[in-house]
Amino acid sequence: MRRLVRWWRRRTLRARLSLLVTGAVAAAVVTIAVVAWLAVGEIQHHQTQSQLTSEAAAIVAQPDQWRNAARLPEPRDGHRHSGLEWQIVDSSGAVVSHSATALPVTANVSRPQERPVRVGGDDYLMLTVPLTGGGAVSVAINQDPDENVLTILGLLLLGVSVVGVAGAAFLGRAVARAGLAPVERLTGAVEDVTGTLDLGRPLPVDGADEIARLGASVNTLLAAIDTARRAQRTLIEDASHEMRTPMTSIRTNIELLLEVEKHPELAHRLPPDERAKLLADLNAQMAELATLTTELVELARDESTREAAEDVELTDVIEAAVIRVRIRAPRVRFATDLQPAVVHGRPGELERMVVNILDNAAKWSPPDSTVEVTLKTGERPVLTVADHGPGIDEGDRPYVFDRFYRATAARSMPGSGLGLAIVAQTVAQHGGTVTAGPNEPRGTVITVLLGSS
């Protein structure tokens, strides 16, 4: 059985479909042929039994007319059954009268008996019935003509079955070829896409059957892969561009320091204050590069590497984020007004989202100003972070959540342009939305609408 299963699995889909169609049609043809042959045999046997019963009843009704007869009287319709023989025996078992061919003697029967007998090299079906007053009447019909008819019918049905099975095999191949033609076209198109990597060209889809649905699903998959590939390419290109500046600056500064170390006589060209400034600049650039790397990893994180989702109390997440940002921005005050709210999400990602929003607000806030952090609950929790900085120009607001986008006013400030992009990604992954708007009379308000509480 295992070998059969392995053999079956090694067949192509077309071969398996052809075999299934051939087997189904062949089984139907053979079943019909066998049923037809058995039905004809049963009809013949029933007709023979009826003939025997009728002839035996006629002899039993008037036995005296048959005792000295050499053969059966001709029936009224002028026909007689070919191969029919008869005989009458008395109570002692002696044959009183019989037709041209003697039959085996069956005496002293109390009820009708039917059995096959062999007479003169031929097969007969014989019926024996008792006579009133003793004795019995036996009537037999030659079965060979019926057997010959069944044999001929069986050969004809066998021939028809062979032709039917052959036709089923041809039909199975034709059905498999026609049925799998759309699959082969789809396979060819997918292989072409695999070879050319042209994900932007959709596969041709015709009709509304299962194959068309499969083609549409493949097109959707290709579009998703193409979008992901374009996003990956954009991320790599943007990351390379963003990393080039700090890397170049770091390399230049390090080369300058190494040059001074190799040639001590040139140390006077780099005074201590300049050296300290250079090292501070180098440290800031390293921190910027580390931040950029961390944010790139956050954006590119695969779903399988993310933490498990759970019910999260947002007030705890926001308070932890405020504590972290207060350490980094000691000259800015944070005022919180938080109502209890629970969402189903990933606490680490939610805290990083809030930290990024607070970092952005602190970066743009003047010293000794206040950043208001509010969490309101209704049908859905709403988090707002308002600062009193210069605000975001109306033309820049639609793009502040794009990766690496930095407004003109922000290009002189430290940052990677990925903080708010991470916010937008995290909010979207938690089924929410985020917007940026003005804070009157000046400043910016970031509003986050999260999932249901």
Side-chain angles (χ1 to χ4, degrees):
M1 179 60 69
R2 291 181 179 178
R3 291 181 179 178
L4 181 61
V5 170
R6 287 197 297 268
W7 177 86
W8 177 259
R9 289 177 177 175
R10 288 196 296 267
R11 302 305 98 188
T12 64
L13 181 58
R14 174 184 291 183
R16 281 185 279 178
L17 185 58
S18 299
L19 289 174
L20 287 174
V21 173
T22 302
V25 176
V29 170
V30 172
T31 300
I32 292 174
V34 171
V35 170
W37 187 81
L38 293 175
V40 170
E42 184 64 25
I43 291 173
Q44 285 183 331
H45 183 70
H46 180 73
Q47 289 178 342
T48 299
Q49 286 181 321
S50 298
Q51 182 72 17
L52 288 175
T53 301
S54 176
E55 298 295 347
I59 297 175
V60 171
Q62 297 179 333
D64 294 337
Q65 296 182 6
W66 300 77
R67 294 185 188 279
N68 297 318
R71 60 182 178 83
L72 283 174
E74 296 292 340
R76 296 178 181 178
D77 58 4
H79 299 282
R80 62 174 300 177
H81 193 285
S82 175
L84 189 142
E85 305 294 340
W86 63 275
Q87 72 179 11
I88 300 176
V89 297
D90 58 17
S91 58
S92 64
V95 177
V96 176
S97 179
H98 62 82
S99 59
T101 302
L103 301 175
V105 175
T106 303
N108 300 323
V109 296
S110 59
R111 64 178 184 274
Q113 294 183 358
E114 180 183 297
R115 64 190 178 98
V117 295
R118 186 81 174 172
V119 179
D122 296 329
D123 293 320
Y124 282 76
L125 181 64
M126 185 175 73
L127 175 65
T128 301
V129 297
L131 281 172
T132 303
V137 173
S138 296
V139 181
I141 293 180
N142 192 343
Q143 294 289 91
D144 287 342
D146 290 346
E147 295 294 336
N148 292 337
V149 170
L150 281 178
T151 300
I152 294 172
L153 178 62
L155 292 175
L156 289 175
L157 291 175
L158 178 61
V160 171
S161 298
V162 171
V163 174
V165 171
F170 177 79
L171 179 63
R173 290 181 61 85
V175 169
R177 185 180 298 109
L180 295 178
V183 177
E184 292 182 351
R185 289 195 297 270
L186 182 60
T187 301
V190 172
E191 291 175 347
D192 183 60
V193 170
T194 303
T196 61
L197 294 180
D198 185 8
L199 301 179
R201 184 179 62 185
L203 304 179
V205 177
D206 298 322
D209 55 8
E210 290 78 0
I211 303 300
R213 290 176 55 194
L214 176 61
S217 298
V218 172
N219 281 336
T220 302
L221 176 62
L222 291 178
I225 295 175
D226 187 43
T227 301
R229 188 179 69 169
R230 291 176 185 273
Q232 182 186 46
R233 182 180 301 163
T234 301
L235 179 63
I236 293 174
E237 292 174 352
D238 291 344
S240 300
H241 175 75
E242 292 294 326
M243 295 178 71
R244 187 178 296 116
T245 299
M247 290 294 292
T248 301
S249 180
I250 291 172
R251 180 179 178 181
T252 302
N253 292 338
I254 291 177
E255 287 177 349
L256 178 58
L257 291 173
L258 289 175
E259 188 68 19
V260 172
E261 290 296 328
K262 290 180 181 179
H263 304 282
E265 67 275 9
L266 301 178
H268 65 279
R269 296 185 180 181
L270 188 64
D273 57 336
E274 292 292 333
R275 184 184 183 92
K277 182 179 179 182
L278 182 64
L279 290 174
D281 186 41
L282 186 61
N283 182 64
Q285 290 164 350
M286 289 295 295
E288 181 180 352
L289 187 61
T291 301
L292 176 61
T293 303
T294 301
E295 291 176 339
L296 285 173
V297 172
E298 184 71 23
L299 282 173
R301 179 178 293 178
D302 186 78
E303 183 70 24
S304 61
T305 63
R306 300 173 64 196
E307 60 183 325
E310 58 185 65
D311 289 338
V312 181
E313 176 55 63
L314 280 180
T315 55
D316 296 338
V317 171
I318 296 172
E319 288 173 353
V322 169
I323 292 174
R324 289 176 56 184
V325 179
R326 275 177 177 158
I327 297 174
R328 296 203 287 254
R331 292 187 296 176
V332 177
R333 294 186 298 272
F334 292 89
T336 59
D337 180 11
L338 309 177
Q339 297 180 357
V342 177
V343 297
H344 190 72
R346 298 172 172 86
E349 296 180 14
L350 290 171
E351 182 175 339
R352 179 165 184 80
M353 174 199 73
V354 178
V355 167
N356 285 358
I357 298 175
L358 296 178
D359 275 338
N360 186 77
K363 181 173 68 173
W364 290 102
S365 295
D368 297 325
S369 64
T370 302
V371 175
E372 291 91 9
V373 183
T374 305
L375 177 64
K376 300 295 184 182
T377 57
E379 293 183 2
R380 302 175 68 181
V382 179
L383 169 66
T384 59
V385 177
D387 64 61
H388 299 276
I392 303 174
D393 291 340
E394 186 175 355
D396 292 325
R397 288 175 196 159
Y399 311 106
V400 293
F401 296 103
D402 293 345
R403 296 178 180 180
F404 297 107
Y405 181 81
R406 303 186 72 185
T408 303
R411 292 174 186 172
S412 60
M413 301 285 289
S416 64
L418 291 176
L420 292 183
I422 293 175
V423 170
Q425 176 177 285
T426 303
V427 171
Q429 290 171 345
H430 287 77
T433 58
V434 57
T435 57
N439 182 28
E440 300 299 339
R442 63 193 305 267
T444 300
V445 177
I446 300 295
T447 303
V448 177
L449 181 65
L450 291 173
S452 59
S453 59

